[in-house]
């Protein structure tokens, strides 16, 4: 598969995802503000990486990714809520996200807290509206996603991140933070796709390994972009990690070391897919694309 | 049933609920802070009204309330997260809750945001671990709870509350705020208990009506307590609604008018239970108790 094919696949799926997200969180006439605040961040044109991964994993085990829009979109809502809360003055205090003012800069801190709460809550309702799957499997999937998003996963990673700010942390803690903050939800996305589409235990194990490497490569390249990217492309000020005294893969390993580690991690992700045929092409392209991404 | 019997019933059930809550959110050695922050508010000895209502509704339709601890405790986690976020400086900016310092006064604003996020997320995982029920019914129940807790319910009510602060609002808006902020989750608690325990459509309708009246009576008596209560009993400074220029049933209807309205609403709640026998005794006691409550 060529990069062009990956682009077409993603574009087509992103259109489906964006349309579904807009339906799940509609404009509301009685109380416009909370819905508007939720839509502001949700429909700000993210990469939709988590829903895409769920769909690509479903494809990889022989299913049809687009059958699982409710669960896929729930993942994107969870991701978006975490960004809104992460940007708050009480947390990272960021003014820009995806090239736009952050939620609290537009709607105020209190409404931004509520917009995040609303998205997290609707995420679960949306996921639980998924049909095309045995109820017992759906319960397992949503349960795994809750575990990945909670204090043993994403929320826990953000808590350690918050505590560690301004402190020197070691490589092991850094890896834990990212595994919990980002990796856990990637893993849940991939496993969910495979579970929903009836993947085998062997496929689940392979995709779990892929997910761990993908998450790591994603974070390393994120840290690299914070140094070498442009505000125009990444949508937030370059060097904000340095400004916030955050430990990153670049500060720990140097830029060259981080780039080498990223390539090595991508290679490991690719080898975890060796048992799959061409139906895993998108997953292969997705992780290879990380090395050359600009945003 | 006497008030003493109600007291015994509640005490016994609250012990079950508190023990289960402590198990669902355990002490964690690797990252103690986020779990400690969640436990601080969750185990602060609330009235556990929502889980009690779920159990009493299950009892009322002939089931066994204590079979449904996971869903019941999920409701309490959702309630507690909403209090933590509601107390934040960006929202109501309260320093005390249930007689203790609020979460953000102890752990800081950022950690309090995360503690709330964590509780909301674990709530869904916990509810979805419920056994003793058909998966399809569980999905319906958790879906209803998500709807009640989200922007069309609790979060939406808090959003309008936030927007209305310092403004004069009319009786209709006040009723909408409370129905959404408090009533929706009471309704979900009662309906969940009935659905989980296999109640009939007729019983569901009756309990839905009961829930609406209960929610209203609860809010009216809450507003009365803010004027006539003591800080020692209600655990937060008396008169904080007045301090925050909040519209309440007392400011809208006078104290005497609010008391009359409370009694009338309790009577309506009782009549919606007329189709039930003695197995609904706890639900009758719970709403009658509202009139005389001190906290």
């Amino acid at each position: 598969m060529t990069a062009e094919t990956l682009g077409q696949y993603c574009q087509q799926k992103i259109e489906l995802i964006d349309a579904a997200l807009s339906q799940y969180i509609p404009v509301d006439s009685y109380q416009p503000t909370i819905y508007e605040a939720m839509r502001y961040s949700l429909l700000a044109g993210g990469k939709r990486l988590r829903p895409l991964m769920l769909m690509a994993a479903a494809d990889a085990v022989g299913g049809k990714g687009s059958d699982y829009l409710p669960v896929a979109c729930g993942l994107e809502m969870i991701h978006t809520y975490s960004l809104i809360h992460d940007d708050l003055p009480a947390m990272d205090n960021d003014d820009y996200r995806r090239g736009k003012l952050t939620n609290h800069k537009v709607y105020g801190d209190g409404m931004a807290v509520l917009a995040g709460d609303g998205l997290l809550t609707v995420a679960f309702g949306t996921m639980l509206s998924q049909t095309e799957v045995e109820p017992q499997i759906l319960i397992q999937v949503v349960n795994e996603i809750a575990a990945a998003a909670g204090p043993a996963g994403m929320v826990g990673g953000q808590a350690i991140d918050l505590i560690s700010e301004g402190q020197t942390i070691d490589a092991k803690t850094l890896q834990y933070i990212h595994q919990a903050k980002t990796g856990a939800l990637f893993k849940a996305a991939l496993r969910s796709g495979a579970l929903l589409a009836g993947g085998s235990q062997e496929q689940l194990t392979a995709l779990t390994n892929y997910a761990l490497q993908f998450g790591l490569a994603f974070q390393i390249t994120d840290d690299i972009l914070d140094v070498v990217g442009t505000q125009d492309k990444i949508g937030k000020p370059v060097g904000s990690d340095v400004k916030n005294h955050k430990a990153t893969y670049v500060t720990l390993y140097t830029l060259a070391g981080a780039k080498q580690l990223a390539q090595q991690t991508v290679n490991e992700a690719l080898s975890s897919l060796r048992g799959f045929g061409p139906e895993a092409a998108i997953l292969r392209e997705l992780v290879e694309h990380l090395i050359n991404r600009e945003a």
Side-chain angles (χ1 to χ4, degrees), chain A:
Chain A
M1 173 176 287
T2 62
E4 198 183 345
T5 324
L6 175 71
Q8 282 167 2
Y9 176 95
C10 290
Q11 197 189 328
Q12 187 201 8
K13 293 290 187 286
I14 286 172
E15 278 171 22
L16 286 176
I17 294 162
D18 286 351
L21 287 173
S22 181
Q23 277 192 322
Y24 293 136
I25 313 271
V27 174
D28 188 86
S29 58
Y30 185 73
Q31 43 173 342
T33 313
I34 180 69
Y35 283 90
E36 198 187 303
M38 293 163 73
R39 288 170 61 89
Y40 175 80
S41 295
L42 188 64
L43 306 177
K47 294 186 291 289
R48 311 308 188 199
L49 202 46
R50 290 148 195 83
L52 282 173
M53 290 175 95
L54 183 147
M55 291 181 176
D59 289 344
V61 303
K64 191 178 160 205
S66 52
D67 280 349
Y68 308 110
L69 273 169
V71 179
C73 288
L75 285 170
E76 187 68 14
M77 292 178 201
I78 291 174
H79 171 58
T80 303
Y81 114 76
S82 78
L83 300 181
I84 295 174
H85 283 187
D86 211 29
D87 287 336
L88 285 167
M91 308 275 284
D92 279 357
N93 194 21
D94 280 319
D95 292 352
Y96 288 93
R97 166 75 68 182
R98 293 175 180 168
K100 296 170 68 178
L101 283 171
T102 45
N103 200 287
H104 66 274
K105 297 297 285 183
V106 177
Y107 297 97
D109 296 359
M111 193 56 74
V113 170
L114 291 173
D117 294 345
L119 282 170
L120 177 55
T121 310
V122 175
F124 283 100
T126 304
M127 293 191 286
L128 292 172
S129 73
Q130 174 73 54
T131 52
E132 317 286 331
V133 60
E134 286 296 314
Q136 194 53 58
I137 299 287
L138 180 59
I139 288 172
Q140 183 191 345
V141 162
V142 180
N143 221 327
E144 279 203 22
I145 292 170
M154 192 178 71
V155 165
Q158 289 187 309
I160 297 229
D161 200 16
L162 184 67
I163 293 170
S164 309
E165 212 155 288
Q167 291 179 16
T168 308
I169 59 170
D170 57 18
K172 197 182 147 212
T173 307
L174 177 67
Q175 190 157 351
Y176 174 82
I177 290 174
H178 291 316
Q179 184 278 321
K181 252 186 93 161
T182 322
L185 208 56
F186 282 145
K187 189 173 90 174
L190 287 153
R191 287 179 56 87
S192 296
L195 284 165
L196 289 166
S200 68
Q201 192 54 52
E202 202 180 356
Q203 289 175 317
L204 262 180
T205 306
L207 289 174
T208 305
N209 290 336
Y210 168 87
L212 292 173
Q213 303 304 324
F214 185 99
L216 194 52
F218 182 83
Q219 192 56 52
I220 300 168
T221 52
D222 213 47
D223 288 350
I224 292 171
L225 277 177
D226 189 69
V227 177
V228 305
T230 64
Q231 174 162 355
D232 189 44
K233 291 269 172 60
I234 66 177
K236 61 178 182 179
V238 173
S240 66
D241 291 344
V242 176
K243 186 195 79 185
N244 294 328
H245 305 289
K246 279 195 165 175
T248 74
Y249 283 97
V250 175
T251 60
L252 275 175
Y253 295 99
T254 77
L255 184 59
K259 283 182 173 175
Q260 200 186 340
L261 191 58
Q263 185 62 59
Q264 191 182 320
T265 313
V266 167
N267 293 344
E268 281 172 33
L270 288 172
S271 29
S272 62
L273 294 178
R274 60 182 172 267
F276 290 87
E279 64 282 0
I282 296 294
L283 289 180
R284 293 192 185 93
E285 286 289 332
L286 275 173
V287 70
E288 281 177 350
H289 178 70
L290 285 181
I291 292 291
N292 304 312
R293 74 196 180 112
E294 295 183 326

